[in-house]
Amino acid sequence: MPTRRQMLLAAAAASLAPRFALAKASQPATAVNFEVPAGACDCHTHIHGDMREFPMFAGRVYTPEPALPEEMAQLHKALRMQRVVIVTPSVYGTDNSATLWGMKARGANARGVAVIDDKTPEGELDAMGRAGIRGIRINLATGGAAPDPAAARKRFQAAAERMQARRWHIQMYVTLPVISSIKDLVLASPVPVVFDHFGRAQAALGVGQPGFSDLVELLRSGKAYVKVSGAYRVSHQGPDFADAAPLARALIAANPERIVWGTDWPHPQWTKRMMNDAEEVELLYRYVDGDTALLRKILVVNPARLHGFRA
């Protein structure tokens, strides 16, 4: 006869099992309403594996549902995205196993961005480079605490020195105040820098908000890229997030050679409504006012240069 403890553990496992066994990552609810250029790249996605095989970091601040390689393939078939960049999410700490698993499933059309620390050995970086990792991510935004600019400068300098020999880029999920605090370091950086999700500018504050001009200056310098992705992270005006459009257009106008885009699939921590990923890519089409040459630059040419795809 099972003990009370065994019964409690079984009940807890049963309560979790449906969530992780049956939950499905988001898929487009409609067809994309414009011609997506050949070789298009979704530059910001995540893979969340089965927790029994890919355990998550104990200090994580959220627990996402699974987002599997086959679900990602289904997503990109619907969106007509040939290429993908898979980014290790904060829930895995410095364990990049799930990202590498997703990249292997996608083959030559995949690249990755890893999370490392000062204990990550050079041999591990070498192996990840052979697998298609082309950058590292510094995340100073997930977790809620206000980032320390001095700590941000220290982390950026250490990352730039380590990445210089590899020519990998540094991807950063940070706020505008942090971007302003490291502007001089980015301008002097030996490797490209990529700022996630509009540099976390707040759409409601418009293009005149403090720090946005620094982001624009970094774009114009050619030293930094910006992802016009995750509009729902910077705007509360869903479903079309119209107040994010002026930010996107200002960034694109500053330097269209340094703009990339991504779905942010499977939309971790987004609970306000189920995302329609077709609408996500259609936002980009509106940002460029249907300019097909500009669209190809953002979806094909710029990602190829940054991540080492053949354009």
Side-chain angles (χ1 to χ4, degrees), residues 254-267:
N255 191 348
E257 304 282 344
R258 293 295 183 269
I259 301 294
V260 290
W261 172 90
T263 56
D264 195 29
W265 184 89
H267 318 292

Side-chain angles (χ1 to χ4, degrees), residues 4 8 28 31 43 63 84 98 108 117 134 147 176 179 186 210 216 224 226 231 239 252 264 268 271 285 289:
R4 184 173 182 274
L8 289 172
C43 288
T63 300
V84 64
D117 60 19
R134 292 295 180 266
L176 287 178
I179 292 172
V186 176
V216 167
V226 176
I252 293 168
D264 195 29
T271 58
Y285 188 75
D289 296 317

Side-chain angles (χ1 to χ4, degrees), residues 133-299:
I133 294 291
R134 292 295 180 266
I136 62 167
R137 191 188 199 201
I138 298 175
N139 183 344
L140 299 178
T142 299
D148 175 10
R153 289 180 65 85
K154 184 176 180 180
R155 286 189 64 181
F156 181 86
Q157 286 177 302
E161 289 172 7
R162 196 167 188 191
M163 292 301 105
Q164 182 172 6
R166 298 180 180 279
R167 306 305 298 170
W168 290 5
H169 67 269
I170 300 171
Q171 179 176 315
M172 303 192 75
Y173 187 36
V174 293
T175 60
L176 287 178
V178 172
I179 292 172
S180 295
S181 76
I182 62 171
K183 183 174 76 170
D184 60 317
L185 299 180
V186 176
L187 288 171
S189 174
V191 296
V193 180
V194 184
F195 293 109
D196 287 344
H197 310 318
F198 295 82
R200 290 205 71 195
Q202 296 304 298
L205 300 179
V207 298
Q209 64 190 283
F212 191 74
S213 62
D214 289 324
L215 182 60
V216 167
E217 182 181 341
L218 289 172
L219 268 177
R220 287 177 177 153
S221 75
K223 302 293 288 190
Y225 289 75
V226 176
K227 293 180 185 176
V228 289
S229 58
Y232 52 84
R233 292 182 179 271
V234 303
S235 169
H236 300 294
Q237 293 187 7
D240 60 354
F241 311 105
D243 57 346
L247 300 180
R249 292 190 173 106
L251 294 169
I252 293 168
N255 191 348
E257 304 282 344
R258 293 295 183 269
I259 301 294
V260 290
W261 172 90
T263 56
D264 195 29
W265 184 89
H267 318 292
Q269 297 180 277
W270 180 253
T271 58
K272 293 182 180 179
R273 73 178 184 100
M274 179 60 72
M275 297 305 303
N276 178 0
D277 294 278
E279 292 175 354
E280 293 293 292
V281 68
E282 287 161 10
L283 286 179
L284 176 62
Y285 188 75
R286 292 202 289 273
Y287 296 158
V288 301
D289 296 317
D291 184 328
T292 56
L294 186 51
L295 191 70
R296 185 177 184 277
K297 188 183 298 290
I298 294 170
L299 287 177

Side-chain angles (χ1 to χ4, degrees), residues 6 13 64 71 74 87 92 114 125 129 153 164 252 260 263 303 307:
Q6 287 172 326
E71 293 177 301
Q74 181 183 353
V87 180
Y92 286 118
L125 296 181
R153 289 180 65 85
Q164 182 172 6
I252 293 168
V260 290
T263 56
H307 299 288

